[in-house]
Amino acid sequence: MSLTPTADPHAEGNIQPPPGFILSSTRGPYSTHNGPYFHRDPQREATEHAFFALPRHANGLGLVHGGMLTSFIDGLLAAAVWRASRRSSVTIHLSVDFLHMARVGEWVFGESRVTRLTREVAFVEGRAYAGGGDLVRASGVFKLMRKAAD
């Protein structure tokens, strides 16, 4: 799929983030491919991300695929770990409860918080929501990498 702007205002090249959100440009290759993702001012208490549900994020029913929601929430939880520890991490446990569905053409928002941080692991919880209702709730355990970030 091309990233060049088209006449469609919701095509990837034309997506304008909601007020207060900016394009996340420091994602890894997997997340960059799945996005685009946006994030809110990192000065807030919770880590907040969003994406606009495009047709490529959907299953055959036009609903946002559960795998897309899982990837989104996993990255969101990892972002909270980064904010709290300034260390890279990898997921060692992820629990996702699917509560409702999102459709193509909707903004999906998410927020996450570290609930406990030790020298070696972080415990995190978060949720993704759209249209005023929760889509998924998740909790995870992340292994902190040894080398601290610069």
Side-chain angles (χ1 to χ4, degrees):
M1 172 178 271
S2 171
L3 294 178
T4 57
T6 67
D8 180 354
H10 295 138
E12 284 189 48
N14 293 331
I15 297 171
Q16 295 300 312
F21 284 82
I22 60 172
L23 181 65
S24 299
S25 59
T26 58
R27 308 291 294 240
Y30 178 83
S31 295
T32 298
H33 177 74
N34 283 343
Y37 293 120
F38 302 86
H39 67 274
R40 194 185 291 264
D41 177 358
Q43 302 305 317
R44 294 172 174 260
E45 180 182 334
T47 300
E48 297 176 273
H49 289 186
F51 74 93
F52 185 78
L54 296 166
R56 66 185 182 86
H57 297 137
N59 60 22
L61 300 173
L63 304 173
V64 176
H65 194 284
M68 178 62 190
L69 291 172
T70 301
S71 290
F72 174 69
I73 201 78
D74 183 48
L76 179 62
L77 297 178
V81 173
W82 169 258
R83 281 186 62 195
S85 68
R86 290 295 188 226
R87 291 170 66 186
S88 296
S89 64
V90 292
T91 310
I92 57 176
H93 176 79
L94 181 65
S95 176
V96 180
D97 295 318
F98 296 92
L99 306 172
H100 200 55
M101 55 204 132
R103 299 185 183 282
V104 169
E106 290 186 299
W107 276 97
V108 175
F109 297 92
E111 61 185 22
S112 62
R113 291 178 179 79
V114 171
T115 58
R116 183 170 176 231
L117 184 63
T118 72
R119 289 182 48 208
E120 296 193 16
V121 296
F123 299 83
V124 196
E125 60 186 26
R127 71 184 186 114
Y129 58 95
D134 285 355
L135 305 172
V136 298
R137 288 198 168 260
S139 61
V141 182
F142 288 75
K143 172 70 174 163
L144 300 175
M145 306 306 285
R146 291 183 190 262
K147 183 178 177 185
D150 296 333

